[in-house]
Amino acid sequence: MMACRAIKDERARMATILTVPLMNCMAKIPLYTLLVSIYFARYKGTVMFFIATITIIVALAVAKALSLTVLRRKETAPFILEMPPYQLPTVQGVLRRCLERVWLFVRKVMTIIIAIAIIVYVLISFPGLSEERKVYYETQAKEAIAAFFDRVKGTSYAGLLEGPRLMEFMEYWNAYKKARMGAKDKEEKRAIDEEFRRKDPEFFRIVKPGRDKEARRVNRAFKKLIRARKKLLRRKREETILSSYLGRFGRLLEPFTRFAGFNWRINIALLSSFAAKESSVATLGAIYQSPGGGEAALGARMKKEERGFTPLHALAVMIFMAMYPPCIPTLVMVKLESGSIGWMLFAALYPTLLGLMMAILVFSGGSLLGLSGIQAMVGFYALAIAITAVMALIKRGPEYE
């Protein structure tokens, strides 16, 4: 944005300022890679090529449209560019530049992104559940525990799991399952078994009951308790998010964004990324957090909870993110370089509307035509190229001469 100062043609300078934010930046990549890995695993290279080039194609058409409309009264000047002498880069200069860029990134992470993450956490957690709903979930949890003890009643292990020992066993169970999941071969699994057997032999007999009928009975009962607990935690978390400030706003937008394939969860993630695009994945991580502190990857958790989500949904989200307004620091630079708050607001508003229209076209149009995600992507790409070609054929008026 600051480099646009070198452009003497005021119309070209403003067109560049308003279209540069449409270019993909590294901050958008985490959301792209998340969605591509879930919904376009077989076409990763093709989809990333689409994302990398579609913004350039659209920016050409947008720049021409802006020059013909809102910027048509701006002064023009001949394009003259003085080329500086080229020099081979030095090792010292390259290292200094790398360190500067790394420090700028770290400083951004330590300020804007962390601040946004904290704000999003607060907005997604408060005002929280009412006392009545808290009591309801506590009652449900107690009933699940009572049902567990009814199932294991009469076994020699019932007394072992009473009181705080039940929570200790739950932690032991989760730790064992996590360790076994990371084991690479039989030898490593045997070593893990031996480690947990030494840690607590009685707990281990329940985790690996073998032929012990009572231990197998307790094992089955505990698995049912785990499933009931996860279900309760998931319902409680969803209700907390739905009743939060950000959840309410996300649901308020849902009637408008559903034509683009966005539900309230996606709305929340996109809202949080307005300040910093990196925040979108962090927000999704907070929304799709694993019940009971599980360590499943975000992609797996999102795919599991968004059962109705398709590649067409994911494509619409990626296209909207590609057109999404610039982050707050960039908008500040728009204001400084243009000298107008009006242009800053315009730079925030028009990409939002453009991205939303494109997402609606892809999702609603693709759904009506019965297109898959890849088919809709190819069709949209061809349409964007055709529109850009038509814009290039439009002749400029006398004021451009």
Side-chain angles (χ1 to χ4, degrees), residues 76-92:
T76 62
F79 179 73
I80 301 174
L81 180 63
E82 182 179 350
M83 299 296 291
Y86 284 97
Q87 296 179 351
L88 286 173
T90 63
V91 174
Q92 182 182 2

Side-chain angles (χ1 to χ4, degrees), residues 310-340:
T310 66
L312 204 57
H313 289 81
L315 179 64
V317 174
M318 289 190 292
I319 288 175
F320 182 83
M321 177 57 77
M323 299 296 117
Y324 203 43
C327 56
I328 289 176
T330 308
L331 284 176
V332 172
M333 289 308 302
V334 173
K335 193 268 179 187
L336 293 176
E337 294 301 317
S338 66
S340 168

Side-chain angles (χ1 to χ4, degrees), residues 66-370:
L66 292 175
S67 297
L68 293 171
T69 55
V70 295
L71 299 176
R72 66 183 182 277
R73 299 187 185 280
K74 292 288 183 181
E75 294 181 1
T76 62
F79 179 73
I80 301 174
L81 180 63
E82 182 179 350
M83 299 296 291
Y86 284 97
Q87 296 179 351
L88 286 173
T90 63
V91 174
Q92 182 182 2
V94 171
L95 290 176
R96 186 190 307 117
R97 183 64 174 167
C98 289
L99 290 173
E100 287 175 358
R101 299 306 299 176
V102 169
W103 168 240
L104 286 172
F105 176 76
V106 171
R107 187 170 64 183
K108 185 178 181 182
V109 169
M110 297 299 290
T111 54
I112 296 175
I113 298 173
I114 291 179
I116 292 300
I118 293 172
I119 292 170
V120 168
Y121 175 78
V122 171
L123 292 176
I124 214 170
S125 303
F126 292 95
L129 299 177
S130 64
E131 288 300 321
E132 182 182 351
R133 296 303 295 170
K134 289 180 181 178
V135 171
Y136 167 78
Y137 282 111
E138 289 174 4
T139 303
Q140 291 291 307
K142 290 176 181 177
E143 289 179 0
I145 293 173
F148 165 74
F149 281 109
D150 282 342
R151 294 188 187 100
V152 302
K153 190 176 182 180
T155 66
S156 57
Y157 297 96
L160 173 69
L161 300 175
E162 288 181 349
R165 291 283 284 171
L166 180 62
M167 187 55 65
E168 290 178 19
F169 177 67
M170 188 171 292
E171 293 174 359
Y172 179 93
W173 175 287
N174 290 332
Y176 175 77
K177 296 298 181 184
K178 182 180 177 181
R180 287 276 294 190
M181 193 177 297
K184 298 177 181 178
D185 51 41
K186 291 182 178 179
E187 287 295 327
E188 196 169 340
K189 289 180 179 179
R190 277 197 291 267
I192 291 169
D193 287 351
E194 189 58 35
E195 178 189 346
F196 277 85
R197 185 184 285 109
R198 286 197 305 269
K199 190 180 293 185
D200 197 313
E202 293 177 318
F203 281 175
F204 187 77
R205 283 198 296 271
I206 301 174
V207 172
K208 291 208 69 175
R211 295 183 178 181
D212 187 334
K213 292 183 178 179
E214 287 191 346
R216 284 206 301 267
R217 178 178 164 188
V218 176
N219 183 283
R220 289 193 298 269
F222 191 75
K223 286 179 179 177
K224 290 181 180 179
L225 175 62
I226 288 288
R227 288 195 293 269
R229 182 174 180 270
K230 286 183 177 180
K231 185 178 179 180
L232 276 175
L233 287 173
R234 183 167 58 251
R235 285 169 52 194
K236 184 178 180 181
R237 187 186 73 246
E238 288 178 353
E239 190 171 332
T240 301
I241 294 173
L242 275 170
S243 61
S244 68
Y245 298 120
L246 208 54
R248 292 171 185 174
F249 192 45
R251 282 187 296 161
L252 186 66
L253 294 176
E254 202 169 31
F256 306 98
T257 61
R258 63 187 178 89
F259 298 104
F262 306 165
N263 58 22
W264 63 273
R265 296 181 181 90
I266 298 299
N267 288 343
I268 291 174
L270 293 175
L271 286 169
S272 70
S273 64
F274 180 73
K277 300 298 176 286
E278 301 94 328
S279 301
S280 58
V281 174
T283 305
L284 289 173
I287 294 173
Y288 297 106
Q289 55 185 291
S290 182
E295 299 295 331
L298 172 58
R301 299 189 325 249
M302 184 176 177
K303 187 175 182 180
K304 182 179 179 181
E305 295 197 29
E306 294 292 357
R307 298 185 186 277
F309 225 64
T310 66
L312 204 57
H313 289 81
L315 179 64
V317 174
M318 289 190 292
I319 288 175
F320 182 83
M321 177 57 77
M323 299 296 117
Y324 203 43
C327 56
I328 289 176
T330 308
L331 284 176
V332 172
M333 289 308 302
V334 173
K335 193 268 179 187
L336 293 176
E337 294 301 317
S338 66
S340 168
I341 294 178
W343 283 119
M344 182 185 74
L345 296 176
F346 179 77
L349 182 61
Y350 96 83
T352 304
L353 297 177
L354 179 64
L356 190 59
M357 287 190 296
M358 289 182 175
I360 291 172
L361 175 66
V362 167
F363 179 75
S364 296
S367 298
L368 288 173
L369 296 174

Side-chain angles (χ1 to χ4, degrees), residues 364-379:
S364 296
S367 298
L368 288 173
L369 296 174
L371 302 179
S372 66
I374 290 294
Q375 290 171 335
M377 184 188 74
V378 172

